[in-house]
Amino acid sequence: MGTSSHFSLRRRTMALGGLAAVIGAPIWAQTRAPVKVRFQCDWRFEAGTTPYVVALKKGYFAEEGLDVTLNVGAGASATVTRMASGNFDMGTGDLNSLAEFAGNNGVVPAKAVMLMYQNTPAAVFSLKKTGIAKPADLRGRTLAAPAGDGARRIFPLFAAANGLNPVTDVNWTAVDPAMRETILSRGQVEVITGYLASGMLSLQRLGVAASDVHVMKYAEYGVALPGNAVIASQNFLNENPQAVAGFLRALTRALKESVADRAAAVAVLKSHEPLIDTRIEALRLDLILDQEIGTPAVRRDGVGDIDIPQFQKGIDSLAKFLAFKSTPDAKSLVDTRFLPPQAQRMVFPA
């Protein structure tokens, strides 16, 4: 499909009813070839990607006129840099990493179109036998995480909020995403950072009892930041607004189904990635839905919207502690016009 045809369609559609017509029912999808969407996931095909896999496997993306390709990720922070390469149209990225990229590069590689985690799910993990029970116990320790790990990138805020110097009090070692929990379970490192559901359940899959793990959630230790959002490149937003709206409708539909029938959602995930441990991913999905996505605010107001003033406060903190070259305006990083109506975004039962 040529660029001129996209803009021609947009002009006619806007003339017939403005943005509501652009993002409304997918009549356009019935008469046009499917729009290809190269989607960058933030991680492997585990419970966190379940809504995307459900939307793909059950044909919800296809019903919206979309030909979606889901690509395995290497961290929510890495998604942002991959989006900047121009090789992906949409993805799941860390909002804080998006702000950092914009602040240091003077460009916005993508805009957040739907917030998935209102609070950062970042956390510090250790085994209780090491005696690490509070932030001060991290002094002199070596922390391990992938270079693109969102929790690693924003650790300076956790440190600052808890009286630690993020440069001199701790050391870091980079590890492959697939080995992070393994080396902790083997005692090769004492501390790792990561997202709550990923770290906790991966350790359990390796045979580590939940009662043997100590977790410090950033959100409970003074870090008021959002987490992952669905992001879309500016070019894709400009050229395919209907596709963005359709993607979010399909995703919201799949998320609601995943909440209602979790076992069925995990079964769909298993059909897409046969190597997963069904028991572990069922536990992980419960944790993600009940703790990371299903906050009281989301249960009350619906999933997806972004509190711009609160996000700006987080950006200001990030800019200070991570020494951004400039402080981006939160509004420049967000475009939630394509969200489904609030009634559709009430994915948790009343």
Side-chain angles (χ1 to χ4, degrees):
M1 291 178 289
T3 302
S4 61
S5 65
H6 284 299
F7 287 116
S8 176
L9 176 63
R10 287 186 67 212
R11 283 195 295 269
R12 291 196 301 270
T13 306
M14 294 294 282
L16 289 172
L19 185 62
V22 175
I23 66 176
I27 298 173
W28 64 278
Q30 302 171 19
T31 58
R32 295 167 63 88
V35 176
K36 293 186 180 297
V37 182
R38 301 166 298 175
F39 191 87
Q40 177 62 66
C41 297
D42 64 323
W43 200 238
R44 302 184 294 261
F45 291 123
E46 296 180 344
T49 58
T50 297
Y52 307 94
V53 172
V54 168
L56 177 69
K57 300 290 283 187
K58 298 190 75 170
Y60 300 158
F61 288 140
E63 288 179 22
E64 296 286 352
L66 307 177
D67 178 9
V68 177
T69 301
L70 300 178
N71 297 275
V72 172
S77 178
T79 295
V80 174
T81 56
R82 290 183 179 183
M83 290 291 293
S85 72
N87 293 325
F88 297 95
D89 306 303
M90 300 181 70
T92 309
D94 174 49
L95 266 187
N96 310 299
S97 299
L98 180 63
E100 181 182 15
F101 189 98
N104 287 333
N105 294 279
V107 296
V108 178
K111 292 198 173 186
V113 294
M114 180 176 182
L115 184 62
M116 297 302 286
Y117 300 156
Q118 281 200 326
N119 302 312
T120 176
V124 174
F125 301 86
S126 60
L127 300 184
K128 289 183 178 178
K129 64 184 180 181
T130 63
I132 298 172
K134 57 186 183 299
D137 297 331
L138 297 175
R139 285 193 177 90
R141 311 278 186 165
T142 295
L143 286 67
D149 177 57
R152 177 174 176 171
R153 294 299 306 146
I154 63 174
F155 179 82
L157 271 75
F158 174 88
N162 293 282
L164 295 173
N165 185 310
V167 176
T168 60
D169 283 344
V170 301
N171 299 304
W172 286 93
T173 184
V175 298
D176 183 88
M179 292 299 295
R180 171 173 45 193
E181 290 79 17
T182 299
I183 62 174
L184 179 65
S185 69
R186 293 175 178 174
Q188 293 172 268
V189 296
E190 292 184 311
V191 189
I192 61 173
T193 62
Y195 281 2
L196 179 62
S198 177
M200 197 67 189
L201 274 300
S202 293
L203 286 168
Q204 290 184 50
R205 180 173 54 81
L206 293 167
V208 180
S211 59
D212 292 335
V213 182
H214 188 270
V215 181
M216 289 184 276
K217 302 177 187 178
Y218 286 21
E220 295 178 355
Y221 282 84
V223 181
L225 293 174
N228 287 3
V230 178
I231 60 179
S233 75
Q234 190 63 65
N235 284 343
F236 196 72
L237 280 168
N238 290 340
E239 297 179 8
N240 296 284
Q242 309 98 329
V244 175
F247 186 99
L248 298 184
R249 279 194 298 268
L251 176 60
T252 302
R253 179 182 177 186
L255 177 58
K256 187 170 185 176
E257 286 191 9
S258 299
V259 170
D261 192 341
R262 302 180 185 196
V266 173
V268 173
L269 179 65
K270 179 76 170 180
S271 73
H272 187 71
E273 179 51 87
L275 297 179
I276 68 165
D277 182 323
T278 301
R279 181 185 69 86
I280 290 295
E281 296 313 316
L283 292 171
R284 197 194 311 270
L285 184 61
D286 282 343
L287 194 157
I288 289 171
L289 294 177
D290 295 335
Q291 295 190 40
E292 296 186 353
I293 295 178
T295 64
V298 165
R299 293 174 187 273
R300 181 187 67 241
D301 302 326
V303 70
D305 209 357
I306 299 173
D307 184 330
I308 297 294
Q310 183 63 35
F311 184 28
Q312 188 65 60
K313 290 180 182 178
I315 291 174
D316 293 344
S317 296
L318 288 166
K320 174 183 177 182
F321 290 108
L322 301 186
F324 290 3
K325 293 179 180 178
S326 64
T327 303
D329 184 346
K331 293 190 294 294
S332 72
L333 307 178
V334 174
D335 189 346
T336 54
R337 295 175 298 159
F338 307 98
L339 282 173
Q342 183 182 25
Q344 294 180 26
R345 294 187 283 110
M346 303 300 292
V347 299
F348 290 90

